[in-house]
Amino acid sequence: MDESGGSGQPRSGTDEADEHPTDQPRPGDPATTTARPPSSQEPHDTDTPADGQDQEDPTPAPTPQPDRGKGKNEKGKSAKGKKGPAPRRAKEPGGGLLMGRPFGVPVYVAPSWFLVAALITWVFGGQLDRVLPELGMARYLVSLFFAVAFYASVLVHELAHTVAALRFKLPVRRIQLQFFGGVSEIEKESETPGREFVLAFVGPLLSLILGGLFYLPLQAVEPDTVPGVLLGGLMISNLIVAAFNLLPGLPLDGGRMLRAVVWKITGKPMSGTVAAAWVGRFLAISVLIGLPLLTHSGALGADATDISGMDTVMDALLAAILAAIIWTGAGNSLRMARLREHLPDLRARALTRRAVPVETATPLSEALRRANEAGARALVVVDADGEPLSLVRETAIVGVPEHRRPWVAVSGLAQDLTDGMRVSAELAGEELLEVLRATPATEYLVVEDSGEIYGVLSAADVEKAFVKAMARPN
């Protein structure tokens, strides 16, 4: 992009009009690694640069002209903006009941977990009634203990991913235990295929180790006792979690391992993602068709003659839920990878709107006249020395009828600048996204390293650029 400009004109960036962003995945969502019980895998979560205001499509001035220049105030002096301290980090995400912070990473239990814990307690309690009928209603207390112990194993699986990520200096946003397992939200991608492979493999490895640890004491107890049933159930469930997650399709850990292998062979992370995502979709179809067939064939240990109509319905429902989650997760992984591939092309300098500086008492009509003359689409309120004070919000401009604009000062329509609302014109890609996510707003002041005003960055323009990046071919 041409970054030069003539003297006396405001600097510019893009001239695109605002549009509402479409319902697409947004960049910057943390990469996730998941541990699942034998039933499912959760798709990736999504974050986006948030904005604290309503985003409408006002057009306070015509499309800017191609010429550019340094931002000046009305007296001809350069408008300076002091660079504030590093922006504050956004408020820590929630996601349920906070259980603790192992290794400094918050662990949340989603409300949906209590539903599946109750379901496990009911199902496992029914199994115990056949094995240990003498327990009576106490079998549900044993079943509840099993549900909690099982999810503790899932948490260990997720902590393995977390420790590996922290070892590779990848920030982990949170761990969440939810309906069908757990998810570790890792905020950045691995830098090498080797690290990606290790990061994915440690989870199933820990589940295998846990299965072995439960097997050892199982040899010292009677199988038809409460300890025997619990140890046997935890051993089998951890082995199933490990085996399920090793299936080579996204969003499972095995899919991330396959991605790493293809990435290593081709040298292209996107090629690895495409391969693993399509394998994941194939797995989804296989689960949808194959799980009910395996159950009715007796291959999973049940006698086909004992399977009732309700069992058939439950098997079909479980298969459909599993297939939908795997298919959705694979698609989300593919879309996020495509977005990340184009993310470095998104630069603050290219997305910034041309802006004109105006003093606090300037009538809105006069400010818009100056913007029209300069071909600008943003207004920066400055003091008598050219120091930026606030940004005039587009939504506020639209709300003022044209006949009242000569009587309304721009200061009454402006949002005060905070430290996090000053953005360097040199930011790009994930670095730009991190800054915007740390301080949600609708507009940001873009400044040069010297402090000179470059223009105004609209969150709506950023989201529009993300949508365009998603639509571009790889």
mmCIF file of all heavy atoms in Angstrom, residues 262-313:
data_model
loop_
_atom_site.group_PDB
_atom_site.id
_atom_site.type_symbol
_atom_site.label_atom_id
_atom_site.label_comp_id
_atom_site.label_asym_id
_atom_site.label_seq_id
_atom_site.Cartn_x
_atom_site.Cartn_y
_atom_site.Cartn_z
ATOM 1 N N VAL A 262 1.254 -34.330 7.930
ATOM 2 C CA VAL A 262 1.118 -33.790 6.571
ATOM 3 C C VAL A 262 1.836 -32.454 6.461
ATOM 4 O O VAL A 262 2.458 -32.144 5.429
ATOM 5 C CB VAL A 262 -0.373 -33.659 6.203
ATOM 6 C CG1 VAL A 262 -0.536 -33.032 4.819
ATOM 7 C CG2 VAL A 262 -1.062 -35.018 6.261
ATOM 8 N N TRP A 263 1.770 -31.639 7.489
ATOM 9 C CA TRP A 263 2.488 -30.358 7.520
ATOM 10 C C TRP A 263 3.992 -30.597 7.353
ATOM 11 O O TRP A 263 4.662 -29.905 6.583
ATOM 12 C CB TRP A 263 2.170 -29.681 8.842
ATOM 13 C CG TRP A 263 2.860 -28.368 9.110
ATOM 14 C CD1 TRP A 263 3.710 -27.689 8.272
ATOM 15 C CD2 TRP A 263 2.764 -27.581 10.299
ATOM 16 N NE1 TRP A 263 4.142 -26.527 8.873
ATOM 17 C CE2 TRP A 263 3.575 -26.437 10.106
ATOM 18 C CE3 TRP A 263 2.061 -27.751 11.489
ATOM 19 C CZ2 TRP A 263 3.719 -25.471 11.103
ATOM 20 C CZ3 TRP A 263 2.199 -26.770 12.466
ATOM 21 C CH2 TRP A 263 3.011 -25.652 12.281
ATOM 22 N N LYS A 264 4.512 -31.600 8.064
ATOM 23 C CA LYS A 264 5.946 -31.905 7.972
ATOM 24 C C LYS A 264 6.324 -32.372 6.569
ATOM 25 O O LYS A 264 7.358 -31.969 6.029
ATOM 26 C CB LYS A 264 6.293 -32.992 8.994
ATOM 27 C CG LYS A 264 7.758 -33.419 8.990
ATOM 28 C CD LYS A 264 8.659 -32.294 9.444
ATOM 29 C CE LYS A 264 10.103 -32.774 9.562
ATOM 30 N NZ LYS A 264 11.010 -31.685 9.996
ATOM 31 N N ILE A 265 5.473 -33.191 5.963
ATOM 32 C CA ILE A 265 5.779 -33.731 4.639
ATOM 33 C C ILE A 265 5.697 -32.661 3.560
ATOM 34 O O ILE A 265 6.569 -32.554 2.693
ATOM 35 C CB ILE A 265 4.825 -34.891 4.313
ATOM 36 C CG1 ILE A 265 5.086 -36.071 5.266
ATOM 37 C CG2 ILE A 265 4.996 -35.339 2.868
ATOM 38 C CD1 ILE A 265 4.086 -37.192 5.130
ATOM 39 N N THR A 266 4.633 -31.836 3.610
ATOM 40 C CA THR A 266 4.407 -30.846 2.553
ATOM 41 C C THR A 266 5.045 -29.499 2.840
ATOM 42 O O THR A 266 5.233 -28.696 1.921
ATOM 43 C CB THR A 266 2.900 -30.628 2.356
ATOM 44 O OG1 THR A 266 2.334 -30.083 3.557
ATOM 45 C CG2 THR A 266 2.215 -31.950 2.022
ATOM 46 N N GLY A 267 5.332 -29.246 4.116
ATOM 47 C CA GLY A 267 5.841 -27.932 4.486
ATOM 48 C C GLY A 267 4.757 -26.875 4.574
ATOM 49 O O GLY A 267 5.063 -25.695 4.764
ATOM 50 N N LYS A 268 3.495 -27.283 4.449
ATOM 51 C CA LYS A 268 2.381 -26.338 4.457
ATOM 52 C C LYS A 268 1.373 -26.723 5.541
ATOM 53 O O LYS A 268 0.720 -27.770 5.436
ATOM 54 C CB LYS A 268 1.671 -26.327 3.098
ATOM 55 C CG LYS A 268 2.577 -25.889 1.958
ATOM 56 C CD LYS A 268 1.834 -25.959 0.632
ATOM 57 C CE LYS A 268 2.727 -25.529 -0.520
ATOM 58 N NZ LYS A 268 2.012 -25.618 -1.829
ATOM 59 N N PRO A 269 1.232 -25.899 6.589
ATOM 60 C CA PRO A 269 0.252 -26.230 7.635
ATOM 61 C C PRO A 269 -1.168 -26.317 7.113
ATOM 62 O O PRO A 269 -1.970 -27.107 7.603
ATOM 63 C CB PRO A 269 0.421 -25.097 8.650
ATOM 64 C CG PRO A 269 1.131 -23.999 7.933
ATOM 65 C CD PRO A 269 1.957 -24.648 6.888
ATOM 66 N N MET A 270 -1.493 -25.508 6.100
ATOM 67 C CA MET A 270 -2.848 -25.538 5.558
ATOM 68 C C MET A 270 -3.151 -26.879 4.900
ATOM 69 O O MET A 270 -4.266 -27.398 5.005
ATOM 70 C CB MET A 270 -3.035 -24.399 4.554
ATOM 71 C CG MET A 270 -4.458 -24.236 4.056
ATOM 72 S SD MET A 270 -5.600 -23.830 5.408
ATOM 73 C CE MET A 270 -7.176 -23.980 4.568
ATOM 74 N N SER A 271 -2.171 -27.462 4.239
ATOM 75 C CA SER A 271 -2.367 -28.777 3.617
ATOM 76 C C SER A 271 -2.679 -29.823 4.679
ATOM 77 O O SER A 271 -3.540 -30.692 4.487
ATOM 78 C CB SER A 271 -1.124 -29.185 2.822
ATOM 79 O OG SER A 271 -0.878 -28.283 1.772
ATOM 80 N N GLY A 272 -1.975 -29.732 5.819
ATOM 81 C CA GLY A 272 -2.247 -30.653 6.911
ATOM 82 C C GLY A 272 -3.639 -30.486 7.464
ATOM 83 O O GLY A 272 -4.327 -31.470 7.773
ATOM 84 N N THR A 273 -4.087 -29.245 7.581
ATOM 85 C CA THR A 273 -5.433 -28.989 8.102
ATOM 86 C C THR A 273 -6.492 -29.517 7.155
ATOM 87 O O THR A 273 -7.484 -30.120 7.595
ATOM 88 C CB THR A 273 -5.626 -27.485 8.324
ATOM 89 O OG1 THR A 273 -4.640 -27.002 9.239
ATOM 90 C CG2 THR A 273 -7.003 -27.202 8.883
ATOM 91 N N VAL A 274 -6.327 -29.302 5.861
ATOM 92 C CA VAL A 274 -7.301 -29.781 4.882
ATOM 93 C C VAL A 274 -7.416 -31.300 4.946
ATOM 94 O O VAL A 274 -8.521 -31.856 4.983
ATOM 95 C CB VAL A 274 -6.908 -29.320 3.467
ATOM 96 C CG1 VAL A 274 -7.781 -29.993 2.419
ATOM 97 C CG2 VAL A 274 -7.031 -27.800 3.342
ATOM 98 N N ALA A 275 -6.267 -31.979 4.975
ATOM 99 C CA ALA A 275 -6.285 -33.442 5.023
ATOM 100 C C ALA A 275 -6.969 -33.951 6.293
ATOM 101 O O ALA A 275 -7.843 -34.824 6.242
ATOM 102 C CB ALA A 275 -4.852 -33.982 4.938
ATOM 103 N N ALA A 276 -6.588 -33.396 7.439
ATOM 104 C CA ALA A 276 -7.150 -33.861 8.715
ATOM 105 C C ALA A 276 -8.624 -33.505 8.833
ATOM 106 O O ALA A 276 -9.401 -34.260 9.440
ATOM 107 C CB ALA A 276 -6.364 -33.263 9.875
ATOM 108 N N ALA A 277 -9.043 -32.370 8.280
ATOM 109 C CA ALA A 277 -10.446 -31.978 8.357
ATOM 110 C C ALA A 277 -11.317 -32.911 7.523
ATOM 111 O O ALA A 277 -12.410 -33.305 7.959
ATOM 112 C CB ALA A 277 -10.612 -30.535 7.890
ATOM 113 N N TRP A 278 -10.853 -33.284 6.331
ATOM 114 C CA TRP A 278 -11.658 -34.180 5.498
ATOM 115 C C TRP A 278 -11.694 -35.589 6.067
ATOM 116 O O TRP A 278 -12.716 -36.277 5.964
ATOM 117 C CB TRP A 278 -11.143 -34.179 4.064
ATOM 118 C CG TRP A 278 -11.673 -32.998 3.302
ATOM 119 C CD1 TRP A 278 -10.993 -31.866 2.956
ATOM 120 C CD2 TRP A 278 -13.003 -32.829 2.833
ATOM 121 N NE1 TRP A 278 -11.824 -30.998 2.293
ATOM 122 C CE2 TRP A 278 -13.068 -31.564 2.200
ATOM 123 C CE3 TRP A 278 -14.150 -33.609 2.879
ATOM 124 C CZ2 TRP A 278 -14.236 -31.075 1.634
ATOM 125 C CZ3 TRP A 278 -15.320 -33.117 2.299
ATOM 126 C CH2 TRP A 278 -15.356 -31.869 1.688
ATOM 127 N N VAL A 279 -10.604 -36.018 6.691
ATOM 128 C CA VAL A 279 -10.644 -37.301 7.390
ATOM 129 C C VAL A 279 -11.637 -37.229 8.546
ATOM 130 O O VAL A 279 -12.368 -38.183 8.819
ATOM 131 C CB VAL A 279 -9.247 -37.701 7.894
ATOM 132 C CG1 VAL A 279 -9.320 -38.949 8.776
ATOM 133 C CG2 VAL A 279 -8.309 -37.963 6.724
ATOM 134 N N GLY A 280 -11.673 -36.084 9.247
ATOM 135 C CA GLY A 280 -12.640 -35.901 10.322
ATOM 136 C C GLY A 280 -14.072 -36.001 9.822
ATOM 137 O O GLY A 280 -14.928 -36.606 10.475
ATOM 138 N N ARG A 281 -14.357 -35.439 8.661
ATOM 139 C CA ARG A 281 -15.700 -35.533 8.105
ATOM 140 C C ARG A 281 -16.037 -36.980 7.732
ATOM 141 O O ARG A 281 -17.179 -37.426 7.900
ATOM 142 C CB ARG A 281 -15.809 -34.616 6.890
ATOM 143 C CG ARG A 281 -15.847 -33.136 7.281
ATOM 144 C CD ARG A 281 -15.761 -32.227 6.086
ATOM 145 N NE ARG A 281 -16.034 -30.839 6.462
ATOM 146 C CZ ARG A 281 -15.904 -29.806 5.648
ATOM 147 N NH1 ARG A 281 -15.493 -30.001 4.399
ATOM 148 N NH2 ARG A 281 -16.171 -28.587 6.068
ATOM 149 N N PHE A 282 -15.056 -37.699 7.215
ATOM 150 C CA PHE A 282 -15.271 -39.111 6.919
ATOM 151 C C PHE A 282 -15.568 -39.893 8.196
ATOM 152 O O PHE A 282 -16.443 -40.768 8.216
ATOM 153 C CB PHE A 282 -14.037 -39.687 6.216
ATOM 154 C CG PHE A 282 -14.096 -41.169 6.000
ATOM 155 C CD1 PHE A 282 -14.865 -41.703 4.981
ATOM 156 C CD2 PHE A 282 -13.391 -42.033 6.826
ATOM 157 C CE1 PHE A 282 -14.938 -43.085 4.779
ATOM 158 C CE2 PHE A 282 -13.457 -43.406 6.640
ATOM 159 C CZ PHE A 282 -14.228 -43.930 5.612
ATOM 160 N N LEU A 283 -14.847 -39.566 9.280
ATOM 161 C CA LEU A 283 -15.100 -40.217 10.563
ATOM 162 C C LEU A 283 -16.518 -39.917 11.050
ATOM 163 O O LEU A 283 -17.183 -40.789 11.624
ATOM 164 C CB LEU A 283 -14.092 -39.739 11.607
ATOM 165 C CG LEU A 283 -12.670 -40.293 11.515
ATOM 166 C CD1 LEU A 283 -11.775 -39.614 12.550
ATOM 167 C CD2 LEU A 283 -12.679 -41.804 11.724
ATOM 168 N N ALA A 284 -16.965 -38.683 10.847
ATOM 169 C CA ALA A 284 -18.315 -38.316 11.281
ATOM 170 C C ALA A 284 -19.355 -39.189 10.587
ATOM 171 O O ALA A 284 -20.296 -39.695 11.219
ATOM 172 C CB ALA A 284 -18.574 -36.837 10.994
ATOM 173 N N ILE A 285 -19.210 -39.385 9.278
ATOM 174 C CA ILE A 285 -20.152 -40.229 8.538
ATOM 175 C C ILE A 285 -20.050 -41.678 9.006
ATOM 176 O O ILE A 285 -21.067 -42.383 9.149
ATOM 177 C CB ILE A 285 -19.876 -40.117 7.027
ATOM 178 C CG1 ILE A 285 -20.132 -38.676 6.550
ATOM 179 C CG2 ILE A 285 -20.748 -41.089 6.249
ATOM 180 C CD1 ILE A 285 -19.749 -38.429 5.113
ATOM 181 N N SER A 286 -18.800 -42.112 9.261
ATOM 182 C CA SER A 286 -18.605 -43.491 9.724
ATOM 183 C C SER A 286 -19.274 -43.724 11.071
ATOM 184 O O SER A 286 -19.882 -44.780 11.304
ATOM 185 C CB SER A 286 -17.103 -43.788 9.822
ATOM 186 O OG SER A 286 -16.471 -43.643 8.569
ATOM 187 N N VAL A 287 -19.169 -42.740 11.980
ATOM 188 C CA VAL A 287 -19.809 -42.869 13.289
ATOM 189 C C VAL A 287 -21.324 -42.894 13.143
ATOM 190 O O VAL A 287 -22.023 -43.698 13.777
ATOM 191 C CB VAL A 287 -19.366 -41.717 14.212
ATOM 192 C CG1 VAL A 287 -20.242 -41.650 15.463
ATOM 193 C CG2 VAL A 287 -17.909 -41.884 14.611
ATOM 194 N N LEU A 288 -21.851 -42.030 12.286
ATOM 195 C CA LEU A 288 -23.298 -41.948 12.100
ATOM 196 C C LEU A 288 -23.873 -43.275 11.625
ATOM 197 O O LEU A 288 -24.939 -43.708 12.079
ATOM 198 C CB LEU A 288 -23.623 -40.835 11.094
ATOM 199 C CG LEU A 288 -25.101 -40.609 10.780
ATOM 200 C CD1 LEU A 288 -25.861 -40.172 12.020
ATOM 201 C CD2 LEU A 288 -25.263 -39.607 9.651
ATOM 202 N N ILE A 289 -23.161 -43.935 10.715
ATOM 203 C CA ILE A 289 -23.667 -45.187 10.153
ATOM 204 C C ILE A 289 -23.182 -46.396 10.944
ATOM 205 O O ILE A 289 -23.928 -47.336 11.212
ATOM 206 C CB ILE A 289 -23.233 -45.317 8.676
ATOM 207 C CG1 ILE A 289 -23.811 -44.149 7.859
ATOM 208 C CG2 ILE A 289 -23.668 -46.656 8.096
ATOM 209 C CD1 ILE A 289 -23.314 -44.095 6.428
ATOM 210 N N GLY A 290 -21.901 -46.352 11.340
ATOM 211 C CA GLY A 290 -21.276 -47.541 11.894
ATOM 212 C C GLY A 290 -21.621 -47.844 13.336
ATOM 213 O O GLY A 290 -21.719 -49.018 13.715
ATOM 214 N N LEU A 291 -21.804 -46.817 14.191
ATOM 215 C CA LEU A 291 -22.046 -47.084 15.602
ATOM 216 C C LEU A 291 -23.329 -47.883 15.835
ATOM 217 O O LEU A 291 -23.317 -48.890 16.559
ATOM 218 C CB LEU A 291 -22.082 -45.760 16.380
ATOM 219 C CG LEU A 291 -22.222 -45.890 17.898
ATOM 220 C CD1 LEU A 291 -21.079 -46.706 18.486
ATOM 221 C CD2 LEU A 291 -22.276 -44.508 18.551
ATOM 222 N N PRO A 292 -24.459 -47.500 15.241
ATOM 223 C CA PRO A 292 -25.657 -48.330 15.433
ATOM 224 C C PRO A 292 -25.496 -49.747 14.896
ATOM 225 O O PRO A 292 -25.980 -50.711 15.495
ATOM 226 C CB PRO A 292 -26.744 -47.561 14.665
ATOM 227 C CG PRO A 292 -26.257 -46.145 14.619
ATOM 228 C CD PRO A 292 -24.773 -46.263 14.491
ATOM 229 N N LEU A 293 -24.790 -49.893 13.759
ATOM 230 C CA LEU A 293 -24.586 -51.225 13.187
ATOM 231 C C LEU A 293 -23.742 -52.097 14.094
ATOM 232 O O LEU A 293 -24.029 -53.287 14.289
ATOM 233 C CB LEU A 293 -23.927 -51.103 11.805
ATOM 234 C CG LEU A 293 -24.793 -50.478 10.696
ATOM 235 C CD1 LEU A 293 -23.998 -50.383 9.401
ATOM 236 C CD2 LEU A 293 -26.066 -51.295 10.487
ATOM 237 N N LEU A 294 -22.681 -51.507 14.677
ATOM 238 C CA LEU A 294 -21.825 -52.273 15.586
ATOM 239 C C LEU A 294 -22.599 -52.715 16.820
ATOM 240 O O LEU A 294 -22.444 -53.838 17.311
ATOM 241 C CB LEU A 294 -20.610 -51.428 15.994
ATOM 242 C CG LEU A 294 -19.519 -51.244 14.945
ATOM 243 C CD1 LEU A 294 -18.460 -50.258 15.455
ATOM 244 C CD2 LEU A 294 -18.870 -52.579 14.607
ATOM 245 N N THR A 295 -23.428 -51.817 17.343
ATOM 246 C CA THR A 295 -24.211 -52.160 18.536
ATOM 247 C C THR A 295 -25.158 -53.320 18.255
ATOM 248 O O THR A 295 -25.252 -54.281 19.031
ATOM 249 C CB THR A 295 -25.000 -50.936 19.012
ATOM 250 O OG1 THR A 295 -24.095 -49.869 19.292
ATOM 251 C CG2 THR A 295 -25.778 -51.257 20.271
ATOM 252 N N HIS A 296 -25.851 -53.278 17.135
ATOM 253 C CA HIS A 296 -26.840 -54.310 16.827
ATOM 254 C C HIS A 296 -26.194 -55.620 16.372
ATOM 255 O O HIS A 296 -26.825 -56.675 16.427
ATOM 256 C CB HIS A 296 -27.810 -53.802 15.751
ATOM 257 C CG HIS A 296 -28.850 -52.888 16.299
ATOM 258 N ND1 HIS A 296 -30.083 -53.311 16.715
ATOM 259 C CD2 HIS A 296 -28.825 -51.540 16.532
ATOM 260 C CE1 HIS A 296 -30.782 -52.288 17.165
ATOM 261 N NE2 HIS A 296 -30.048 -51.200 17.059
ATOM 262 N N SER A 297 -24.951 -55.551 15.938
ATOM 263 C CA SER A 297 -24.269 -56.778 15.540
ATOM 264 C C SER A 297 -23.696 -57.541 16.720
ATOM 265 O O SER A 297 -23.250 -58.680 16.579
ATOM 266 C CB SER A 297 -23.140 -56.448 14.554
ATOM 267 O OG SER A 297 -22.112 -55.722 15.212
ATOM 268 N N GLY A 298 -23.674 -56.880 17.904
ATOM 269 C CA GLY A 298 -23.100 -57.511 19.080
ATOM 270 C C GLY A 298 -21.597 -57.368 19.167
ATOM 271 O O GLY A 298 -20.962 -57.930 20.060
ATOM 272 N N ALA A 299 -20.991 -56.582 18.260
ATOM 273 C CA ALA A 299 -19.542 -56.432 18.251
ATOM 274 C C ALA A 299 -19.032 -55.665 19.462
ATOM 275 O O ALA A 299 -17.856 -55.771 19.820
ATOM 276 C CB ALA A 299 -19.103 -55.713 16.976
ATOM 277 N N LEU A 300 -19.903 -54.877 20.101
ATOM 278 C CA LEU A 300 -19.493 -54.099 21.269
ATOM 279 C C LEU A 300 -19.761 -54.828 22.580
ATOM 280 O O LEU A 300 -19.685 -54.238 23.656
ATOM 281 C CB LEU A 300 -20.209 -52.742 21.278
ATOM 282 C CG LEU A 300 -19.913 -51.836 20.087
ATOM 283 C CD1 LEU A 300 -20.664 -50.517 20.220
ATOM 284 C CD2 LEU A 300 -18.422 -51.588 19.941
ATOM 285 N N GLY A 301 -20.093 -56.116 22.492
ATOM 286 C CA GLY A 301 -20.218 -56.914 23.710
ATOM 287 C C GLY A 301 -21.636 -57.206 24.126
ATOM 288 O O GLY A 301 -21.884 -58.092 24.931
ATOM 289 N N ALA A 302 -22.605 -56.490 23.614
ATOM 290 C CA ALA A 302 -24.003 -56.707 23.992
ATOM 291 C C ALA A 302 -24.613 -57.811 23.127
ATOM 292 O O ALA A 302 -24.266 -57.972 21.958
ATOM 293 C CB ALA A 302 -24.799 -55.420 23.850
ATOM 294 N N ASP A 303 -25.509 -58.568 23.698
ATOM 295 C CA ASP A 303 -26.226 -59.597 22.956
ATOM 296 C C ASP A 303 -27.294 -58.925 22.101
ATOM 297 O O ASP A 303 -28.155 -58.197 22.609
ATOM 298 C CB ASP A 303 -26.868 -60.581 23.927
ATOM 299 C CG ASP A 303 -27.431 -61.804 23.203
ATOM 300 O OD1 ASP A 303 -27.610 -61.726 21.977
ATOM 301 O OD2 ASP A 303 -27.683 -62.819 23.888
ATOM 302 N N ALA A 304 -27.218 -59.165 20.799
ATOM 303 C CA ALA A 304 -28.143 -58.496 19.879
ATOM 304 C C ALA A 304 -29.599 -58.799 20.212
ATOM 305 O O ALA A 304 -30.494 -57.980 19.967
ATOM 306 C CB ALA A 304 -27.842 -58.912 18.438
ATOM 307 N N THR A 305 -29.869 -59.959 20.808
ATOM 308 C CA THR A 305 -31.255 -60.319 21.131
ATOM 309 C C THR A 305 -31.798 -59.540 22.316
ATOM 310 O O THR A 305 -33.006 -59.486 22.530
ATOM 311 C CB THR A 305 -31.350 -61.827 21.433
ATOM 312 O OG1 THR A 305 -30.495 -62.129 22.545
ATOM 313 C CG2 THR A 305 -30.917 -62.643 20.217
ATOM 314 N N ASP A 306 -30.886 -58.938 23.130
ATOM 315 C CA ASP A 306 -31.309 -58.190 24.309
ATOM 316 C C ASP A 306 -31.528 -56.703 24.031
ATOM 317 O O ASP A 306 -31.870 -55.941 24.936
ATOM 318 C CB ASP A 306 -30.266 -58.337 25.431
ATOM 319 C CG ASP A 306 -30.162 -59.774 25.926
ATOM 320 O OD1 ASP A 306 -31.159 -60.498 25.801
ATOM 321 O OD2 ASP A 306 -29.080 -60.151 26.434
ATOM 322 N N ILE A 307 -31.291 -56.286 22.800
ATOM 323 C CA ILE A 307 -31.391 -54.864 22.463
ATOM 324 C C ILE A 307 -32.845 -54.503 22.202
ATOM 325 O O ILE A 307 -33.508 -55.096 21.333
ATOM 326 C CB ILE A 307 -30.524 -54.538 21.229
ATOM 327 C CG1 ILE A 307 -29.062 -54.827 21.534
ATOM 328 C CG2 ILE A 307 -30.701 -53.077 20.821
ATOM 329 C CD1 ILE A 307 -28.152 -54.641 20.338
ATOM 330 N N SER A 308 -33.363 -53.544 22.954
ATOM 331 C CA SER A 308 -34.753 -53.131 22.830
ATOM 332 C C SER A 308 -34.896 -51.983 21.840
ATOM 333 O O SER A 308 -33.908 -51.441 21.337
ATOM 334 C CB SER A 308 -35.283 -52.688 24.199
ATOM 335 O OG SER A 308 -34.601 -51.524 24.635
ATOM 336 N N GLY A 309 -36.152 -51.630 21.580
ATOM 337 C CA GLY A 309 -36.396 -50.503 20.686
ATOM 338 C C GLY A 309 -35.847 -49.206 21.235
ATOM 339 O O GLY A 309 -35.342 -48.357 20.492
ATOM 340 N N MET A 310 -35.939 -49.022 22.567
ATOM 341 C CA MET A 310 -35.386 -47.816 23.176
ATOM 342 C C MET A 310 -33.880 -47.766 23.026
ATOM 343 O O MET A 310 -33.306 -46.698 22.784
ATOM 344 C CB MET A 310 -35.780 -47.769 24.649
ATOM 345 C CG MET A 310 -35.252 -46.529 25.379
ATOM 346 S SD MET A 310 -35.835 -44.985 24.625
ATOM 347 C CE MET A 310 -37.581 -45.068 25.020
ATOM 348 N N ASP A 311 -33.211 -48.914 23.129
ATOM 349 C CA ASP A 311 -31.761 -48.968 22.928
ATOM 350 C C ASP A 311 -31.407 -48.534 21.507
ATOM 351 O O ASP A 311 -30.413 -47.841 21.281
ATOM 352 C CB ASP A 311 -31.229 -50.381 23.184
ATOM 353 C CG ASP A 311 -31.321 -50.770 24.652
ATOM 354 O OD1 ASP A 311 -31.256 -49.854 25.502
ATOM 355 O OD2 ASP A 311 -31.447 -51.974 24.933
ATOM 356 N N THR A 312 -32.215 -48.957 20.566
ATOM 357 C CA THR A 312 -31.969 -48.587 19.168
ATOM 358 C C THR A 312 -32.074 -47.078 18.986
ATOM 359 O O THR A 312 -31.238 -46.450 18.311
ATOM 360 C CB THR A 312 -32.985 -49.290 18.241
ATOM 361 O OG1 THR A 312 -32.857 -50.707 18.398
ATOM 362 C CG2 THR A 312 -32.740 -48.909 16.794
ATOM 363 N N VAL A 313 -33.115 -46.492 19.577
ATOM 364 C CA VAL A 313 -33.298 -45.044 19.472
ATOM 365 C C VAL A 313 -32.126 -44.307 20.129
ATOM 366 O O VAL A 313 -31.584 -43.341 19.578
ATOM 367 C CB VAL A 313 -34.629 -44.619 20.109
ATOM 368 C CG1 VAL A 313 -34.744 -43.095 20.163
ATOM 369 C CG2 VAL A 313 -35.799 -45.201 19.331
#
